[in-house]
Amino acid sequence: MFWIPISYHYLCMMKLSIVVPVYGVEETLPRCVESILSQSYDDYELILVDDGSPDGSGALCDHYATIDPRVMVVHQANGGLSSARNKGISLSTGDYLTFIDSDDFIGENTISVLIIPSIGTTAVPRPPSSSLVPTVMTI
């Protein structure tokens, strides 16, 4: 897991965008999403990108969006992992951005342990202007 700061707002809470690309993970998606939704740090948006999943993963994504307002779902034709991540980046509104694979999960307080120490520091400098994420980087 890595963090990409998108803008420098030195506030008490920094909104985090979490992008989870989803494809064929009907069995593992619940554990992944529930591990995110149960975090003690709750100033985040969870963007689930259904990349044309042939199983019930897309319906699971929709279910989570109905039970938690922090969850956003987008369905797209299969374009692969990079396409799904890029779609999530384009929709993100957070001050920080991270990716979590849909067959993984995170432990309790993972987000708090990682993001709170970085608030108000330059410990994770924003990369210079790049073609990788120009639509979400602000100065």
Side-chain angles (χ1 to χ4, degrees), residues 26-135:
E26 185 175 15
E27 296 297 318
T28 59
L29 186 62
R31 185 173 186 190
C32 173
V33 172
E34 290 165 19
S35 76
I36 297 167
L37 295 179
S38 67
Q39 293 294 302
S40 59
Y41 186 92
D42 63 359
D43 192 14
Y44 64 83
E45 63 183 350
L46 173 57
I47 304 169
L48 301 174
V49 183
D50 173 26
D51 193 37
S53 237
D55 61 3
S57 298
L60 279 172
C61 291
D62 292 337
H63 166 72
Y64 285 111
T66 64
I67 63 172
D68 195 306
R70 297 171 295 182
V71 179
M72 176 194 318
V73 177
V74 61
H75 301 276
Q76 67 178 25
N78 182 256
L81 180 61
S82 294
S83 172
R85 284 184 172 173
N86 287 335
K87 175 57 88 171
I89 291 169
S90 72
L91 297 171
S92 68
T93 62
D95 300 300
Y96 285 80
L97 171 69
T98 192
F99 303 98
I100 299 175
D101 291 338
S102 52
D103 59 349
D104 290 335
F105 64 95
I106 57 177
E108 288 183 38
N109 301 316
T110 297
I111 296 173
S112 292
V113 168
L114 294 174
I115 201 167
I116 289 177
S118 69
I119 294 173
T121 71
T122 57
V124 187
R126 182 169 65 179
S129 190
S130 117
S131 61
L132 296 176
V133 289
T135 58

